[in-house]
Amino acid sequence: MTALDHTSGIRDNHSSPPTRRDFLTVVTGAFGAVGGAFALWPLIDQMNPNPGTPPPETRLVDLVPIAPGQTVTVAWRGQPVFVRHRTSDEIARARNVAVSSLPDPHARNAALPANAPADDANRTLAGRPEWLVVVGLCTHLGCRLQPLHAIEPGSTGEGWFCPCHAARFDLAGRVRGGPARTNLPVPPYRFVATSIIEIGRA
């Protein structure tokens, strides 16, 4: 009896084994699918962001809740940024420091030339000396900084220190001791309202 009984119209339960043609058809289809995926991959991959380029992130910070003498920490591009509301006494002390006494004489301010001096006026925006904005990572090995009064109870809060290697930074974010050799960077920022700053855009 053949695979199909012509007298009854009932198919035999036994199917014929796959042929070479069936095998070649399956293999050709598989290779075609893989080849198509490889051909489309460059188009798909170019839509992904460049991993070497940081995201164009900005951060708005409301300054109203920050009392004089207080620091808040906000996240920007995966980094902690200190926003300090300095008192008039803190500003005066920071401005009385001679640049010649600093380990790093450069401002490290994204809004200024690389060789701008590290006097206090170059660490803040013109006309707004009460607001200090700096990246809160030690410039030695990138450890997160802590307030100085955390290790010196009763101190007047003269700045920040690195708990790993004891680097110290003043209330202008300038290195004053320890293994760190450069000042804390001042990120690009601007006032977009009387009491709101935008970090990430000068």
Side-chain angles (χ1 to χ4, degrees), residues 18 50 56 60-61 64 72 76 80 90 103 135 138 140-141 145-146 154 157 170 173 189:
N50 184 346
L60 293 176
V61 182
V64 171
V72 299
W76 174 69
E90 290 171 348
V135 175
C138 181
H140 177 227
L141 291 177
L145 298 175
Q146 302 294 325
D170 67 11
Y189 74 98

Side-chain angles (χ1 to χ4, degrees), residues 30-47:
F31 272 104
V34 172
F38 274 110
L40 286 175
W41 176 249
L43 176 65
I44 297 170
D45 188 52
Q46 62 91 23
M47 297 178 187

Side-chain angles (χ1 to χ4, degrees), residues 32-126:
V34 172
F38 274 110
L40 286 175
W41 176 249
L43 176 65
I44 297 170
D45 188 52
Q46 62 91 23
M47 297 178 187
N48 292 324
N50 184 346
T53 304
E57 182 183 348
T58 60
R59 176 68 186 261
L60 293 176
V61 182
D62 183 4
L63 303 178
V64 171
I66 310 175
Q70 182 183 10
T71 301
V72 299
T73 304
V74 298
W76 174 69
R77 288 189 172 180
Q79 300 176 316
V81 172
F82 296 156
V83 180
R84 173 80 177 188
H85 190 173
R86 303 189 302 176
T87 65
S88 57
D89 181 58
E90 290 171 348
I91 297 169
R93 280 183 285 161
R95 300 213 160 181
N96 284 333
V97 174
V99 174
S100 59
S101 69
L102 299 171
D104 181 9
H106 302 299
R108 310 289 175 185
N109 187 332
L112 298 176
N115 62 349
D119 55 73
D120 186 69
N122 282 341
R123 302 281 296 162
T124 57
L125 291 184

